[in-house]
């Protein structure tokens, strides 16, 4: 129970406790800081990286006051996110050449369909022509759900029957997008990570078939992760990056519990930019990830 209480406490409070009654950052403070980061879902590897960077600063400057620690930690975390180009505050840049093809991957239940719907609505609001492709043909519900989102967002969808070849759906979608002179295509895919070889083959085939229509497609592979699952999201990110090349991340359900420390660990370990965050179930609840406001919130 005590462990639960600890994770509920915010980073600011945890840090304050770690440095209580101390004026300089010593080994004990660094140990406590390590615990603060790990209980905030930052992940062990990234936590160790951050602690090492702070240790180097202490060694170099021969002194660090506890009063400075929060500021220094902020700098290190912001620096880490910046290195990975996470949260540049920009949506996907749509180039002149179109359509821009975004293949969306992720395990079932993480919010993949919802994120596609929200993204479609944002692109449409920005005056772009969007086409959705329902290439998760494995679950009947997946296609139905995407149809619902296409109606909500007011954008066309290309689909076939359940059990049809996902690559064939992707092919049709791209052909349709080209003939409509669409700006952006969002392709939904199946997310059976427990069947890694199949998934790798399927995503590989979807890519190859899409390239028959648009040789450099997909332009982005967006991995959707559920941030509320903490270390599970991190593990999925690592596994998915073995199955396909991931170019951008969307982290959903950040409206829920935590302060999203997992965002830091995932961007550090994948070296892939976090582009979007989901902050609710409604169509408008998708934000372009902004590094600065994320760091502010993490420490508040
Ligand atoms: P998929 O199986 O990955 O396509 O997942 P869905 O898009 O169907 O989403 C699964 C559930 O998560 C649904 O109940 C969504 O409403 C919910 N969901 C998706 N994104 C968010 C989010 O950012 N915040 C919250 N609170 N719920 C979300």
């Amino acid at each position: 129970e005590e462990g639960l209480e600890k994770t509920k406490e915010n980073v600011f409070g945890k840090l304050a406790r770690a440095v209580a009654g101390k004026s300089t950052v010593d080994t004990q403070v660094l140990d406590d800081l390590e615990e603060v980061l790990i209980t905030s879902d930052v992940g062990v590897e990234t936590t160790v990286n951050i602690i090492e960077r702070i240790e180097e600063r202490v060694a170099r400057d021969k002194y660090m006051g506890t009063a400075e620690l929060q500021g220094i930690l902020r700098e290190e975390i912001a620096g880490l996110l910046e290195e990975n180009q996470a949260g540049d505050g920009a949506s996907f840049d749509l180039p002149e050449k179109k359509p821009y093809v975004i293949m969306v991957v992720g395990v079932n239940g993480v919010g993949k369909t919802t994120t596609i719907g929200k993204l479609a609505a944002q692109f449409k609001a920005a005056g772009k022509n969007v086409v959705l492709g329902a290439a998760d043909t494995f679950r009947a519900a997946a296609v139905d759900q995407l149809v619902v989102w296409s109606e909500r967002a007011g954008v066309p969808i290309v689909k076939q029957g359940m059990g049809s070849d996902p690559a064939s759906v992707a092919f049709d979608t791209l052909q349709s997008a080209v003939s409509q002179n669409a700006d952006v295509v969002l392709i939904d895919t199946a997310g059976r990570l427990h069947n890694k070889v199949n998934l790798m083959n399927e995503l590989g085939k979807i890519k190859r078939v899409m390239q028959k229509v648009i040789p450099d497609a997909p332009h982005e592979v967006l991995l959707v992760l559920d941030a509320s699952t903490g270390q599970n999201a991190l593990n999925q990110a690592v596994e998915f990056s073995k199955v396909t090349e991931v170019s951008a991340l969307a982290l959903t359900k950040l409206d829920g519990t935590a302060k999203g420390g997992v965002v830091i660990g995932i961007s550090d370990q994948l070296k892939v930019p976090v582009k979007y965050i989901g902050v609710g179930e409604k169509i408008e609840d998708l934000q372009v990830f902004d590094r600065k406001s994320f760091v502010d919130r993490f420490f508040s």
Side-chain angles (χ1 to χ4, degrees):
E1 295 305 321
E2 208 212 331
L4 262 181
E5 279 306 304
K6 268 189 198 159
T7 46
K8 271 188 212 146
E9 193 188 352
N10 68 26
V11 177
F12 184 75
K14 288 188 219 172
L15 258 180
R17 265 194 312 133
V19 300
K22 298 210 168 186
S23 59
T24 56
V25 174
D26 56 14
T27 321
Q28 183 59 53
V29 170
L30 288 174
D31 274 356
D32 290 346
L33 177 60
E34 191 170 74
E35 196 189 321
V36 169
L37 294 174
I38 289 171
T39 59
S40 304
D41 261 346
V42 172
V44 176
E45 252 179 81
T46 300
T47 294
V48 170
N49 289 345
I50 293 171
I51 297 291
E52 278 173 5
R53 283 157 87 140
I54 293 178
E55 272 171 347
E56 278 165 24
R57 284 174 81 145
V58 174
R60 191 189 59 210
D61 302 343
K62 308 222 165 39
Y63 174 83
M64 186 184 287
T66 51
E68 304 160 64
L69 188 59
Q70 185 180 323
I72 287 168
L73 189 58
R74 279 178 90 110
E75 264 174 41
E76 291 298 338
I77 290 173
L80 233 160
L81 292 168
E82 190 176 357
E83 268 171 41
N84 303 324
Q85 300 168 315
D88 284 334
S91 182
F92 284 127
D93 284 327
L94 299 186
E96 289 293 303
K97 217 179 120 228
K98 45 184 177 174
Y100 197 64
V101 179
I102 304 170
M103 183 167 104
V104 186
V105 301
V107 169
N108 297 333
V110 295
K112 192 156 39 85
T113 317
T114 306
T115 302
I116 292 173
K118 290 170 174 176
L119 262 177
Q122 280 195 5
F123 282 126
K124 194 181 175 194
K128 305 295 178 189
N129 291 321
V130 189
V131 176
L132 303 184
D136 180 357
T137 59
F138 190 70
R139 293 180 305 155
V143 177
D144 295 344
Q145 258 179 324
L146 199 63
V147 168
V148 170
W149 275 106
S150 81
E151 285 162 2
R152 267 182 209 151
V155 303
I157 181 169
V158 174
K159 62 183 173 95
Q160 294 176 5
M162 187 195 156
S164 57
D165 183 357
S168 160
V169 178
F171 183 87
D172 282 359
T173 308
L174 264 54
Q175 278 204 320
S176 164
V178 169
S179 71
Q180 295 177 52
N181 201 24
D183 298 289
V184 53
V185 179
L186 295 160
I187 303 277
D188 189 16
T189 63
R192 287 162 286 147
L193 195 51
H194 57 274
N195 205 332
K196 250 167 69 181
V197 176
N198 280 2
L199 185 60
M200 193 185 301
N201 290 340
E202 181 168 307
L203 296 177
K205 185 175 172 195
I206 291 176
K207 281 187 190 179
R208 281 194 309 279
V209 170
M210 288 200 294
Q211 286 161 2
K212 292 185 198 294
V213 186
I214 299 171
D216 58 348
H219 305 99
E220 301 280 351
V221 177
L222 177 68
L223 172 62
V224 182
L225 297 164
D226 177 347
S228 73
T229 62
Q231 293 311 294
N232 264 337
L234 180 60
N235 295 340
Q236 278 174 21
V238 170
E239 291 306 306
F240 248 102
S241 63
K242 291 179 191 160
V243 170
T244 187
E245 208 171 305
V246 175
S247 66
L249 303 172
L251 289 162
T252 64
K253 310 187 195 181
L254 269 170
D255 49 308
T257 51
K259 294 268 176 182
V262 70
V263 173
I264 302 164
I266 289 173
S267 104
D268 179 42
Q269 270 160 67
L270 257 70
K271 309 289 178 208
V272 166
V274 180
K275 276 287 191 190
Y276 296 96
I277 54 171
V279 293
E281 298 190 79
K282 294 204 221 56
I283 198 156
E284 65 273 17
D285 295 332
L286 184 77
Q287 297 174 357
V288 171
F289 178 63
D290 179 67
R291 188 159 60 226
K292 190 176 173 304
S293 56
F294 169 77
V295 176
D296 284 347
R297 206 180 41 182
F298 187 66
F299 285 102
S300 65

